[in-house]
Amino acid sequence: QLYLLAPTPPPRAATPQPGALRVGSVSVAGPFRDRSFVVRVGDLRYETDYYDEFVVPPGALLADQTSRALSRSRAFAHVAAPGTPAQADYVLDGFVSALYADHSERGRCKAVIAVNYYLSQADTGNGVPFWSEDYRREVDCGDGDADHYVAALNTALTQILAKLAGDLGALKLPPAS
């Protein structure tokens, strides 16, 4: 079975940040980087679900969904998608440190996702972020089958992207050069 993530777009920002934002790369920690779902079965035990997987690797999928959410929320006056050569004032990158179905408690399943987003000025050339925030969500996924797991991941990602859009909208940004 193949799955995509499709979170609900966050609400529109009251006033978009001035300037353009380009969503850069979203890297994923090694254990969760492949398309196959990862299942936590114990404190230190993980298994790969070879029957269920994402249509594309999760890094590309999450970068695309982040770009779509920020564009729809109008967090910035303009949001450029990952991989586009668009000129931008700011670049948002991310790192996913957790992306799995947690079955470590008998009879329970939780979809777990943790992302660190960081923002830098595009024109400085050094890529040093001036803002960073960790987002982590654990959402119950019922009996833990793939459909429920993906639905729970969508709920968790919806919450993360809404919080990200709100946080970016509230930032006092350094002036764009």
Side-chain angles (χ1 to χ4, degrees):
Q1 300 265 348
L2 298 174
Y3 293 89
L4 280 173
L5 292 177
T8 303
R12 284 191 170 264
T15 306
Q17 291 278 18
L21 172 75
R22 182 174 50 83
V23 175
S25 67
V26 175
S27 302
V28 180
F32 315 109
R33 190 173 296 148
D34 292 333
R35 291 175 28 189
S36 298
F37 291 175
V38 175
V39 180
R40 180 178 179 213
V41 294
D43 286 343
L44 299 174
R45 289 189 44 231
Y46 292 81
E47 295 176 352
T48 302
D49 177 353
Y50 293 105
Y51 298 105
D52 300 303
E53 60 185 25
F54 297 111
V55 172
V56 297
L61 185 58
L62 290 166
D64 182 60
Q65 291 301 330
T66 299
S67 172
R68 288 175 188 238
L70 294 176
S71 181
R72 290 180 182 155
S73 74
R74 305 269 307 141
F76 279 78
H78 178 73
V79 177
T84 59
Q87 291 292 337
D89 302 304
Y90 306 97
V91 178
L92 180 75
D93 293 300
F95 178 75
V96 178
S97 59
L99 180 65
Y100 58 89
D102 189 339
H103 288 266
S104 62
E105 290 183 41
R106 194 169 222 24
R108 293 194 64 207
C109 174
K110 294 182 287 189
V112 178
I113 183 170
V115 186
N116 175 261
Y117 285 106
Y118 43 99
L119 188 64
S120 57
Q121 287 186 283
D123 60 353
T124 61
N126 64 12
V128 175
F130 62 85
W131 176 85
S132 175
E133 189 66 42
D134 289 316
Y135 300 92
R136 181 182 177 91
R137 296 293 186 274
E138 297 182 8
V139 176
D140 184 70
C141 52
D143 64 7
D145 71 7
D147 290 339
H148 288 110
Y149 169 60
V150 171
L153 271 180
N154 279 324
T155 299
L157 189 55
T158 294
Q159 294 170 1
I160 287 172
L161 293 174
K163 180 77 169 107
L164 172 65
D167 289 351
L168 290 175
L171 271 180
K172 177 144 176 59
L173 296 172
S177 300

